[in-house]
Every structure is written in structure tokens, then in C-alpha cells.
Amino acid sequence: MAGAQAGSTRPMGSGLLKQIALFGGGLLVALLLDFTLDKAISDSSIRQLLMMAACNILVALSLNVINGMAGQFSIGHAGFLGLGGYSAAVVSANLHEALGGGEATFGKSFIVVPVSLLVAALLSGIAGLFVGLPSLRLKGDYLAIVTLGFSEIFRLVIATAQIGDKETIAHAWSSAGSPRGFVHAISVMITSLGGQNGYAGPKDAGVPLYAGPFWVVGLAFVLGVVAWRLKFSGWGRALRALREDEIAAAAVGVDPTRYKVTSFVISAVGAGIAGGLMAMNRDGTPIVQPDSYNFQASFDAITMVILGGSGSVTGAAIGGVFVTFTVKAIELLQSTSAVQALKQRFESLDLNALRMIIYAAVLIALMIVRPEGLLGERELFQKKAPSPAKAK
Amino acid sequence: MKLLEALMTGLTQGAMVALVALGYTMVYGVLKLINFAHSEVFMMGAYIGLFAILGLGGAGNPVIAGVAGTVIAMIGSSLIGITVERVAYRPLRGRGKGALTRITPLVTALGVSVLLQNLAQLLFSARFRPYPQLFTGTLHLPVVGGLSTSRAFILVASIVIMVGLELLVQRTWFGKAMRALSTNEEAARLMGIRTSRVIAMTFALGSSLAAIGAVLFCLDQSQAYPTMGVVIGTRAFVAAVLGGIGNIKGAMLGGLLIGVLGEMVKLTDYSGGVDVLVFVVLIVVLLLRPAGLLGTSRVEKV
């Protein structure tokens, strides 16, 4: 592939050193943050906001792979976030029990967080393959509706589970010989996720919150670098060629289905990690609820990517931070006395609905006036645009 | 007997889904765009119909309130549909380059959908509003058994409308123009068809059908709420894909199939699984016959 050759002709020595320094520096900062953030910022709501911003950067980065780089349109990102969140919560809670419970220490997090995130990423990736393969094989925008269906069904299956019967999972599986028993066992497993009330560990003691700033900020940084490298790799270039002209790209040997499905699976894996981190976030709530993964969450993710600029890694990060802060600002606004007084007069005033209306209107206007978003496909901190003439 | 009853209910449900699916498929036919806002036009139609029927006397005056209310809902929905097309889709037509030409209309379509849904939440509040019952009683039919009057009416009305639509598309000038547009926009324009006007009329027609579907749906389910468009919209879209998107007869067939399938599921233990099944149907169709049951796949020439 042309991209790979272009990569190898670059002077590697100093670049590699620089990258190692960058990586090490980023991780060191994240490590420092883990110990100092509590003391530096005493207000837990601001800490929560910062951690949320880091998580949302991951959300935007992962969606950017499929919506920005590959030029497909996924509108069910919340489904993969939810799958990641629930699986990370289940794994970490059970692992926590197995490790003897107690406090969620920093040392133990080196066992719990990687394992939970691995499971989350794996499950999301498999789901991504299952959703992406049939819909990306075709021309047309089937991915949009299939992802929407997937995320809504994921949420509804968990939310509408009838809680009440306290049959254990092990007991249900022991009688799962027949197809009927098998279905029953699955429904018992779904029921154990707590339905509408949410999942709070096997003994309702809460999901252990292992992911401190080291994990959240560190992973946001590492995966940001990964996304950047992906974009400028041969793979990223092939993807861009495919996005601009599918027939021409296919004619020079880029298999459309393979590249689209791979990028969708990568996007799903990223969403799984992001969702897992959100569920285990140290400054978050020790419970995962189906309502956090509704369509609004998907739409927020789309807003992040579109606002920042589809296809831009730094743009997605900016979009993620921006949306996080807007959500918080609306929350703060909601508690002010002026808004409360307004609410007394107009009972149906729903600030969240108002926020969505504003977002939607901004998005429509942006698409008409400046469809490429804030940065377009450019990057901040990019020295020069990679010109195909020089790469050869 | 139980099976036959479920079949009749399924056909009723399916006929309503088909009415909404027609809007998706017609717009896709002329613009090659999934009109995400269609489900919200359906929801708006339900609200306009509700207020109109209540304003005209509601259940106390079923014939006039029902007919006039439906007509008002159709007009209101058409206006919304045309406005959506004018504001969010038309400015984008023929603009942009590369991937943006495909993605941009999808984003605006989604934006309009979110905007309308939250607008409804803001204007009408999120609570469920009861719909006046215009029909009471049960019909006793031979073979099938009992069928509520409103369901019988829905079935008959939907079939009449679909036959009317088929005549409109096959026999009138507008139908011919629409079919020409969906086959080849450029050629249609060269033949003197005002494409913008035909597109606007297609939106109006699709939205009116959605409004009829919404009023009929509410007569059956007897409530209206801001998120009602999502569930029916997804089912209708799957119906359109199942029949072959862009194909009008396909949408009708797909709608009826989805309706019957849904009612059959309700006979089993897993009555909550209707939407899961609808999703599975979509995946299976995309895997096995992506052009749909009645659709034909076209080879793209460079």
C-alpha cells in the first residue's frame, strides 16, 4: 500500500525518540494527576466534570473513526457505550468481590481496570462486527438505522427486564439444556442487570470505582495518540480515499467492505473502552443505568464530532470537552432561581429538551453554512498538510 | 380462532405501519435520503389530529370531528413536511463534495428529528395524552370472530388509501413525474419536470399519509406522546427496507408483514420482544436480500 511506503521513508530516529518522550510525559502527568487531583481541586463536582470531559473525548474520538474518517453515519454510539459500561461494571464488581472486596485501591486497579476494559472492548467489538457486517456490505445509509435499532434495543432489553424473581444465574444455567431453558437462563442473566433501576454490583453494594485520573486521563491521552497515528497511517489514507470516492478506491485495490467494517469495529471497541471508563469513573456514581445510554447520548456524541470537525482528531477532542461543559452549564442554569421561577409559570419547561432543540438547530445551521465543522479535517498542532506529492 | 384474531389485529397494525413506511420509501425514491424526520412528522400529525378532534367536539361528534380532524392533521403535517424539506434539505442539494454530499443531509435529517421531538416535549410536555374514542363496540364477523369497530375501520380505511395512492402514482401526472424523478433526476429535469416542486409534493404526500397513519394509530392505541414516533418510525423503516426501499408496493407489503409478525410474537411468551424481532428481521433482510422482497438491485455505472 502506498501509505505504508510513505511512512517508512520518513526519518525515524528522532521521531521515535520524540514519541517515546511524548508518551512517557503524558503518562507521567496522568500518574501525577491521580495523586494530586483530589487535593488540587477540592470541589468534587468540578473533578467530576474534568473526568467526564476526558471520557467524552474518548467517546468523540471513537465515533470520529466511523463518522469522520470513514464517512459512514452511525447514530447508535450509545449502544456500544452501554455495552462497554455494563460489561465493565459486571466484570469489575465481580472481580472486586473475588479480590476480597474492601476499598478500591490504586494497586488493585492495575488488575481490575485492564481486565474489565478488555472484556468491555471485546464485547463491543463483537457487537460492532455483528451490526456492521450486514449494513456496511451495502451501498446506502443502512448503518444509521441499524445502529439506531441496536442501541435502542440494547437499552430496552435491559430496562424492561422484569426484576423480582431471585433465581441465581448458576441455577438457571444448570437447567439450560433445552432451547426453552436456554432462553430462560439468558433472561435471568439480563434480569440480574437490575432493569430500569440500574446495576450496582452482584450484592447491590455499588460498582467499585477503580478508574482514577491515571486511567481516565492516561487512556484519553494514549488513545488520542492512537487515533492520530491511525489517521495518518496507510490505513487511514485508504479510508479517506474510500470516503471520497468509493468506486475509484475500490479500483485501486481498497476493499470497501473490509475497510468500513474494520473502522466500525475499531469505533465500537473505542466506545466500549469509553463506556467502561465512565462506569468505573472514580468521581462518578457507583451504578450503571440504562437511561444513560438513550438516544440523547448518541446524539451528544454526534454533536461532538460534527462541531469539532468530522475527521479531525483534535477537533473531536475539542467537541467532546465543549459538549461536556455545555451539559454542565445547563445543569447549573437549571438550579438558578430565575429558571426555577420560570418553571413555576410554565410547567412544561424542560431545559434538557430546550438544550436538545438548540443543539439540533445549531447542527442544522452548521451543516448548511459550514458543513465541515470547526476544524474541518485539519488538526491543531499539525505542522503541514500531508501532500501526496511529497509523500512519494 | 386466536390465531385468526391475531392475524386480523396484525393486519390492522401492519396497515398503519405501511402508511408511515410509504413516506420513507417515497422520499427515498426521489432523494435517495433516509428522512429521519418522518417519524416525528408522524408524531406531530398525531398531536395536531388530537387537538383538532378535541376542538371539533371529540367523541360526542365522531363523524365530523374524525373526518375534519384527520384532514387538519394532514394539512398540518404536510406543512411541516414541506418546511422541513425547504429548510433542512433543499439548501444542501447539489452542494458540497466528496463524502460531505452524503453525510450532510443525514445529519440535518437527524437534527430535524431531534428538534421536532424535543419541541413536542417542550410544547405538549412529556405526558401521555388520551385520545378520544370515536368508535365503540365490536363487530361480529363470520369466520374471524370479534373485531373492534375502530380496528375494522382502520383496516378498511388503510386499504382504501393504499389503493388510492397506487392509482395516484400510476395514473396521474404527478405520479408519473415522481416515478420519473426516482428513476433519473437529471433526465426528468431535462424533460421539463419541475423537480423541486415534485420533491415538495412528495414530502407533502408522504407527510399526509403519516398523519392519517398517526390518527388511525391513536384511535387504536388511544394515546399520544412525544416519543411515539421513534417506535413506529423504526418499524416503518424496517417495513420499507423489507419490501424494498423506494418501492411503493414493497412498503405496503413490508408494513403488513411487520404488523402480522409483531402480533404473532405477542401470542408467544416473549411479547416484549417485538422490536427485537423487528431488528433481527432487518439484519436478516440486509444479509439475504438487501434490495428487499420486491426491490431490484441496480448496477452502478461509473
Side-chain angles (χ1 to χ4, degrees):
Chain A
M1 203 130 302
Q5 281 164 14
S8 63
T9 51
R10 237 178 333 188
M12 288 301 284
S14 67
L16 195 68
L17 218 68
K18 222 169 163 184
Q19 265 178 18
I20 291 173
L22 187 73
F23 242 86
L27 286 182
L28 202 68
V29 169
L31 193 62
L32 278 176
L33 271 180
D34 203 282
F35 294 108
T36 55
L37 195 68
D38 291 11
K39 282 138 205 137
I41 303 167
S42 53
D43 188 348
S44 73
S45 70
I46 294 180
R47 271 206 316 267
Q48 202 179 339
L49 188 65
L50 289 176
M51 298 281 272
M52 210 54 219
C55 287
N56 274 338
I57 288 176
L58 281 174
V59 172
L61 283 178
S62 56
L63 187 64
N64 186 40
V65 174
I66 186 75
N67 277 20
M69 294 185 198
Q72 299 299 311
F73 196 52
S74 159
I75 54 174
H77 214 51
F80 297 105
L81 291 175
L83 191 56
Y86 267 94
S87 37
V90 170
V91 172
S92 68
N94 284 305
L95 208 57
H96 183 66
E97 292 288 320
L99 287 173
E103 191 129 342
T105 58
F106 187 63
K108 270 196 282 182
S109 78
F110 278 89
I111 305 169
V112 176
V113 175
V115 172
S116 329
L117 289 185
L118 211 63
V119 174
L122 200 68
L123 286 179
S124 284
I126 292 170
L129 192 66
F130 172 72
V131 168
L133 202 55
S135 41
L136 289 168
R137 223 162 47 100
L138 310 167
K139 275 190 128 34
D141 306 305
Y142 294 104
L143 184 71
I145 222 80
V146 176
T147 47
L148 176 68
F150 166 73
S151 71
E152 280 301 293
I153 283 163
F154 171 78
R155 183 175 68 85
L156 286 175
V157 162
I158 290 180
T160 55
Q162 298 296 323
I163 36 178
D165 59 338
K166 280 285 173 193
E167 191 178 352
T168 60
I169 295 167
H171 177 258
W173 277 110
S174 67
S175 56
S178 64
R180 207 179 188 80
F182 181 75
V183 172
H184 176 70
I186 294 217
S187 79
V188 168
M189 276 175 79
I190 294 170
T191 305
S192 73
L193 293 177
Q196 188 69 44
N197 300 331
Y199 177 77
K203 288 173 188 158
D204 283 332
V207 176
L209 303 172
Y210 273 106
F214 171 71
W215 290 103
V216 177
V217 177
L219 273 171
F221 174 76
V222 169
L223 293 181
V225 173
V226 169
W228 179 286
R229 299 289 296 156
L230 266 182
K231 182 180 168 180
F232 295 111
S233 68
W235 184 81
R237 268 177 242 214
L239 211 55
R240 229 173 310 155
L242 198 63
R243 186 189 63 186
E244 294 307 324
D245 193 333
E246 194 168 320
I247 296 168
V252 293
V254 179
D255 179 359
T257 307
R258 213 185 100 209
Y259 273 82
K260 284 189 216 162
V261 172
T262 319
S263 55
F264 188 65
V265 170
I266 289 175
S267 165
V269 165
I273 294 174
L277 279 178
M278 278 175 168
M280 297 186 293
N281 189 342
R282 195 202 279 167
D283 292 294
T285 46
I287 190 162
V288 277
Q289 283 171 315
D291 279 352
S292 330
Y293 307 110
N294 55 14
F295 177 68
Q296 204 174 313
S298 298
F299 190 69
D300 277 346
I302 293 168
T303 314
M304 293 170 199
V305 172
I306 300 276
L307 277 183
S310 301
S312 166
V313 174
T314 38
I318 293 171
V321 174
F322 179 79
V323 168
T324 317
F325 280 84
T326 325
V327 173
K328 185 68 186 175
I330 296 269
E331 259 172 41
L332 288 177
L333 206 66
Q334 211 143 18
S335 56
T336 56
S337 54
V339 173
Q340 288 297 329
L342 257 177
K343 252 194 160 158
Q344 295 261 305
R345 288 190 54 194
F346 307 101
E347 48 142 358
S348 72
L349 182 71
D350 183 345
L351 273 186
N352 211 18
L354 195 62
R355 172 175 76 93
M356 294 303 276
I357 290 176
I358 294 169
Y359 268 15
V362 165
L363 218 55
I364 295 168
L366 197 70
M367 280 295 111
I368 291 169
V369 179
R370 191 182 160 81
E372 66 271 29
L374 184 66
L375 290 181
E377 223 195 310
R378 280 166 294 146
E379 300 284 357
L380 292 178
F381 320 116
Q382 189 183 354
K383 276 169 209 140
K384 56 180 181 232
S387 74
K390 271 186 193 157
K392 280 201 173 156
Chain B
M1 273 307 111
K2 215 173 157 193
L3 199 68
L4 261 177
E5 248 180 77
L7 193 68
M8 285 310 283
T9 320
L11 284 176
T12 321
Q13 300 275 349
M16 289 182 295
V17 170
L19 287 179
V20 185
L22 284 167
Y24 276 110
T25 220
M26 283 194 295
V27 168
Y28 192 89
V30 296
L31 287 185
K32 302 284 173 287
L33 163 76
I34 300 175
N35 180 15
F36 283 110
H38 191 62
S39 55
E40 310 312 323
V41 172
F42 165 84
M43 176 269 298
M44 283 292 185
Y47 272 104
I48 298 170
L50 169 67
F51 294 133
I53 289 173
L54 283 181
L56 289 165
N61 197 359
V63 178
I64 295 174
V67 173
T70 311
V71 171
I72 293 174
M74 284 166 70
I75 295 170
S77 290
S78 300
L79 289 178
I80 295 174
I82 292 174
T83 314
V84 165
E85 196 268 330
R86 183 64 60 88
V87 173
Y89 303 151
R90 186 173 295 183
L92 299 171
R93 216 171 296 147
R95 268 187 40 194
K97 56 178 174 14
L100 284 178
T101 43
R102 228 172 42 72
I103 290 288
T104 315
L106 280 179
V107 178
T108 50
L110 190 68
V112 170
S113 162
V114 171
L115 188 122
L116 285 177
Q117 194 183 328
N118 284 283
L119 196 65
Q121 205 142 329
L122 206 62
L123 292 178
F124 313 133
S125 86
R127 70 189 167 90
F128 288 52
R129 282 172 194 262
Y131 231 73
Q133 283 305 302
L134 299 182
F135 298 97
T136 46
T138 337
L139 285 182
H140 292 283
L141 301 173
V143 188
V144 182
L147 184 70
S148 73
T149 321
S150 60
R151 285 209 168 134
F153 176 77
I154 289 166
L155 192 57
V156 173
S158 311
I159 290 170
V160 169
I161 288 161
M162 282 193 255
V163 171
L165 181 77
E166 190 58 30
L167 287 176
L168 180 76
V169 171
Q170 297 298 338
R171 298 288 169 84
T172 64
W173 179 88
F174 165 67
K176 214 171 182 176
M178 201 171 87
R179 281 183 291 140
L181 195 58
S182 96
T183 313
N184 189 334
E185 190 188 339
E186 203 69 19
R189 203 194 334 262
L190 290 173
M191 292 299 118
I193 294 169
R194 293 191 181 178
T195 46
S196 282
R197 187 184 290 178
V198 175
I199 290 170
M201 279 167 81
T202 308
F203 268 84
L205 183 60
S207 305
S208 314
L209 291 175
I212 300 174
V215 172
L216 293 179
F217 177 79
C218 290
L219 287 181
D220 187 44
Q221 306 285 322
S222 60
Q223 53 198 11
Y225 48 99
T227 50
M228 66 190 286
V230 179
V231 178
I232 296 300
T234 313
R235 279 186 209 174
F237 181 80
V238 174
V241 174
L242 177 62
I245 192 149
N247 184 317
I248 289 177
K249 280 187 196 126
M252 299 178 187
L253 178 69
L256 292 176
L257 282 177
I258 290 285
V260 171
L261 210 62
E263 283 307 310
M264 293 296 148
V265 173
K266 281 189 187 154
L267 287 182
T268 67
D269 291 347
Y270 310 104
S271 55
V274 177
D275 287 299
V276 178
L277 189 76
V278 166
F279 182 65
V280 172
V281 166
L282 178 63
I283 298 267
V284 171
V285 171
L286 290 182
L287 277 176
L288 297 181
R289 206 180 153 79
L293 294 177
L294 299 185
T296 45
S297 54
R298 263 186 274 175
V299 179
E300 185 163 345
K301 291 180 198 142
V302 187

